[in-house]
């Protein structure tokens, strides 16, 4: 375990087992369709890579980068598109892949953007979910783990751009924030 980590919440194996289940659900739901799977950068890149390996329908992928947090651990409430999609979403079945839903602000903004671009359908797959912190009403269609109201890192999620490479999800030691 990394020396800055206080507690591992879910191990690499637990995460992979959950993603396999999520992939099976998506495969069943999207049978006969070719969804456009959108990864919300950067946090969801690892989840995206592992999830699509478990989805057994033909699919396309694209990436979108939005900013909401900066180097802080709380949402600013302001969502900005840093990198937009390369392909049009009009008439497509969209699956948005997110690392974690916290306030829900980022996702509700993204869903709004994609609806205005005339996506045919939009669903959300989120590996982690902190329902206690929601400020807008929003539930993922495919949900991995419910987390307590704690800031987590690992498995793609960062603190000040670090710890994304950890294969598990965990909580940082408090002294890391005051360094
Ligand atoms: P929301 O808009 O739902 O508040 O959260 C937006 C984004 O903030 C998430 O997609 C994620 O990238 C980041 N975020 C939310 N909670 C956490 C957390 O506990 N740890 C980390 N590293 N990022 C988080
Ligand atoms: Mg994210
Ligand atoms: Mg971040």
């Amino acid at each position: 375990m990394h020396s800055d980590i206080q507690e591992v919440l879910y191990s690499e194996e637990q995460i992979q087992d959950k993603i396999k289940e999520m992939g099976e659900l998506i495969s069943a739901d999207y049978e006969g369709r070719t969804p456009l799977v959108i990864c919300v950068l950067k946090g969801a890149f690892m989840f995206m890579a592992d999830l699509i390996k478990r989805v057994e329908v033909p699919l396309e992928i694209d990436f979108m980068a939005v900013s909401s947090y900066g180097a802080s651990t709380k949402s600013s409430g302001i969502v900005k598109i840093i990198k937009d999609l390369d392909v049009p979403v009009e008439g497509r079945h969209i699956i948005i892949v997110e690392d974690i839903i916290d306030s829900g602000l980022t996702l509700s903004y993204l869903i709004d953007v994609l609806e205005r671009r005339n996506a045919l359908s939009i669903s959300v797959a989120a590996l982690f979910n902190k329902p206690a912190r929601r400020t807008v009403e929003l539930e993922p269609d495919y949900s991995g783990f419910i987390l307590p109201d704690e800031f987590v890192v690992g498995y793609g999620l960062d603190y000040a751009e670090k710890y994304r490479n950890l294969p598990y999800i965990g909580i940082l030691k408090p002294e890391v924030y005051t360094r």
Side-chain angles (χ1 to χ4, degrees), residues 108-128:
S108 63
Y109 172 81
L110 275 183
I111 289 170
D112 203 57
V113 167
L114 298 176
E115 274 173 355
R116 276 189 275 119
R117 294 182 189 176
N118 295 319
L120 199 53
S121 70
I122 301 170
S123 72
V124 172
L127 185 55
F128 303 108

Side-chain angles (χ1 to χ4, degrees), residues 40 43 98-100:
V40 186
E98 251 291 30
D99 49 1
I100 186 165

Side-chain angles (χ1 to χ4, degrees), residues 93-112:
H93 294 290
I94 305 294
I95 304 172
I96 302 176
V97 176
E98 251 291 30
D99 49 1
I100 186 165
I101 309 178
D102 189 40
S103 68
L105 285 168
T106 308
L107 260 180
S108 63
Y109 172 81
L110 275 183
I111 289 170
D112 203 57

Side-chain angles (χ1 to χ4, degrees), residues 1 3 14 23 30 33 46 50 61 69 74 82 89-91 109 115 126 148-149 164 169:
M1 187 169 73
S3 58
Q14 287 173 307
Y30 283 84
R33 291 185 278 175
M46 214 177 260
D50 287 337
I61 64 168
Y69 272 44
K74 292 231 171 62
I82 307 292
V89 301
E90 181 162 3
Y109 172 81
E115 274 173 355
D149 183 3
R164 294 191 196 275
I169 189 104

Side-chain angles (χ1 to χ4, degrees), residues 17-166:
D17 287 350
K18 181 66 78 178
I19 292 174
K20 186 165 178 282
E21 284 173 25
M22 296 172 83
E24 283 164 5
L25 291 174
I26 292 171
S27 302
D29 290 350
Y30 283 84
E31 192 160 358
R33 291 185 278 175
T34 303
L36 175 63
V37 186
I38 297 176
C39 172
V40 186
L41 294 170
K42 300 175 190 170
F45 82 100
M46 214 177 260
F47 174 41
M48 170 82 161
D50 287 337
L51 180 66
I52 59 172
K53 286 181 259 181
R54 302 298 189 169
V55 176
E56 291 176 349
V57 298
L59 56 82
E60 294 171 24
I61 64 168
D62 204 350
F63 299 88
M64 204 164 180
V66 296
S67 82
S68 55
Y69 272 44
S72 154
T73 61
K74 292 231 171 62
S75 181
S76 63
I78 299 159
V79 183
K80 209 170 89 191
I81 296 179
I82 307 292
K83 184 229 171 283
D84 208 336
L85 300 169
D86 293 334
V87 300
V89 301
E90 181 162 3
R92 302 297 309 265
H93 294 290
I94 305 294
I95 304 172
I96 302 176
V97 176
E98 251 291 30
D99 49 1
I100 186 165
I101 309 178
D102 189 40
S103 68
L105 285 168
T106 308
L107 260 180
S108 63
Y109 172 81
L110 275 183
I111 289 170
D112 203 57
V113 167
L114 298 176
E115 274 173 355
R116 276 189 275 119
R117 294 182 189 176
N118 295 319
L120 199 53
S121 70
I122 301 170
S123 72
V124 172
L127 185 55
F128 303 108
N129 189 0
K130 291 195 268 185
R133 292 188 32 95
R134 209 72 95 245
T135 60
V136 293
E137 211 177 297
L138 200 156
E139 279 317 310
D141 303 270
Y142 307 97
S143 178
F145 301 100
I146 303 288
L147 296 185
D149 183 3
E150 300 252 24
F151 189 79
V152 295
V153 298
Y155 198 74
L157 288 95
D158 72 310
Y159 171 63
E161 294 301 325
K162 303 286 190 316
Y163 311 106
R164 294 191 196 275
N165 55 319
L166 303 180

